[in-house]
Amino acid sequence: MLTISHLNPDQFRIDLQVQVVELIVSLETKHEQSGATIHIYEYLVGDETGCIVLNTKSELQIDSVYDIKHAYTETVEGYLRLYATDIELSSAKQLNAINTQNNRSAILLARKLY
């Protein structure tokens, strides 16, 4: 299982265990074609090595621990984001100290052209 400090842009099939630190934003929109309502949430999640912004359609509980499977990373305007749909409540009640000082989503990334 990976840790947040090991995440890089454009990674796929990521399995993590994280604790939800806070809800950053929640929004509701309509699907372009079907008109169905879509809820999108962004949470700050972390582990002992760092934290990252998680984008998901799942409503999560603050301070709860979740097992994330098959996630992927992307950069949004140069900032790292984690995307996941396969999220389950973990059997772990709480992780050790969450490292919010190493916020992987607060670092502006620049792509190098070779």
Side-chain angles (χ1 to χ4, degrees), residues 30-45:
K30 297 275 184 197
H31 188 274
E32 263 183 44
Q33 295 163 337
S34 70
T37 301
I38 300 171
H39 295 276
I40 300 171
Y41 303 93
E42 283 194 346
Y43 294 95
L44 183 66
V45 298

Side-chain angles (χ1 to χ4, degrees), residues 93-113:
K93 296 297 179 202
Q94 225 175 4
L95 298 180
N96 293 332
I98 304 302
N99 183 351
T100 55
Q101 299 302 309
N102 181 24
N103 187 339
R104 303 280 292 145
S105 291
I107 301 166
L108 180 61
L109 303 171
R111 294 206 185 259
K112 293 181 183 179
L113 299 176

